[in-house]
Amino acid sequence: MALVTTKEMFAKALKSDYAVGAFNVNNMEIIQGIVEAAQLEKAPLILQVSAGARKYAKPAYLLKLVEAAILDTGLDIALHLDHGEDFEICRKCVDDGFTSVMIDGSKHPFEENIRITKEVVDYAHAHGVVVEAELGKLAGVEDDVKVDVRSATFTDPDEAAEFVERTGVDSLAIAIGTSHGAYKFKGDPYLDFERLKAIHSLIPDTPLVLHGASTVLREFVDKCNQYGGNIPGAQGVPEGMITEATKHGICKVNIDTDLRLALTAEVRKFLAESPAEFDPRKYLGPGRDAIKAMVQHKIRNVLNASGTM
Ligand code: G3H
Ligand code: 13P
Ligand code: ZN
């Protein structure tokens, strides 16, 4: 039981048809819900921290909570920086003891993305830390999926191969049609599986990462709305598409929005039904249970990762 890098987990996942879940964490209840689920499912686990999470909870608290989770469960866990925007935040996380960092240079031109990614790879590797980079831009819901938009923003397979070769990065996040948040598609859901297969065939040894992979299950949106929420028009990626992606080189699947919805639905329900209660444990406890159930469902039914640890 330790903080581990993603090297071994990805090597195994790459050889099989499952992916490792990478779940965003912001507080104790979220961490506890996720690790209890991974423990029950005997699945590999990545906990990831965004810049926003670092700001909200402070790095020292998150680190200590993850260390506590390892002590409590006996799991091996990878601690990952999600969407590091520059060298400095990656360096801080490496120095803090993270085992994996993402440098997200996707907003930069190709050569600049290579330059900053390489800088992070050199520093991280010298400290035994692995690096995820991103090439291509995740779709926004406003982008629809017109062919010109796709070729302008989705990951180009040849560029992906050159990028990996020149940066020495350990894993690569690609853009094939997903986007962050609860509103992913204006029309029918569409992922570019031909592009994914082309990328995977050019760089078969590179673990690929799917961001924006929440499926935004109707049941949870409806529950939020039933108890006073107003989340109109939310639409995620169909579960079957995520499972299909795990068969073509996707080794890491990023999930945040679904956890937020599961927790919020439960908290809303509790407070609506028990308006006289004001003990945070009374509503955060069920929220934690909802996270646990959601993560178990993901690991077992969407990522096919049950029993792979
Ligand atoms: O990719 C974004 C993640 O969902 C993190 O979101 O920046 O609000 O923490 P956040
Ligand atoms: P979702 O918003 O689909 O959960 O994606 C999360 C993510 O990609 C974190 O990096
Ligand atoms: Zn992301």
Side-chain angles (χ1 to χ4, degrees), residues 26-176:
N26 293 280
N27 67 12
M28 183 187 77
E29 283 79 6
I30 295 174
I31 292 173
Q32 288 178 335
I34 296 168
V35 297
E36 283 170 22
Q39 188 181 29
L40 283 172
E41 294 299 323
K42 299 184 173 43
L45 180 63
I46 299 167
L47 295 180
Q48 54 189 14
V49 171
S50 68
R54 285 178 91 239
K55 198 166 161 205
Y56 173 77
K58 295 191 182 172
Y61 285 86
L62 290 172
L63 265 159
K64 291 295 171 196
L65 283 170
V66 173
E67 282 171 17
I70 290 170
L71 267 179
D72 187 47
T73 59
L75 287 176
D76 286 338
I77 296 174
L79 179 58
H80 174 76
L81 167 68
D82 192 26
H83 293 285
E85 72 160 357
D86 55 24
F87 175 81
E88 207 37 44
I89 189 169
C90 293
R91 185 190 62 74
K92 278 195 191 119
C93 288
V94 168
D95 294 352
D96 279 349
F98 280 51
T99 54
S100 174
V101 292
M102 175 188 191
I103 173 69
D104 181 357
S106 61
K107 65 172 187 258
H108 298 295
F110 186 63
E111 287 299 329
E112 178 63 0
N113 192 354
I114 288 185
R115 191 191 66 72
I116 60 171
T117 299
K118 179 87 177 66
E119 195 183 4
V120 172
V121 167
D122 288 345
Y123 187 79
H125 284 184
H127 293 79
V129 171
V130 292
V131 180
E132 171 186 326
E134 179 164 323
L135 188 64
K137 292 186 185 63
L138 292 206
V141 70
E142 73 282 2
D143 287 342
D144 225 334
V145 279
K146 300 209 173 61
V147 176
D148 53 339
V149 172
R150 263 186 245 161
S151 55
T153 58
F154 287 10
T155 308
D156 177 82
D158 293 320
E159 281 191 359
E162 183 183 343
F163 186 90
V164 167
E165 168 73 25
R166 286 176 60 191
T167 58
V169 77
D170 301 279
S171 60
L172 185 68
I174 55 163
I176 56 167

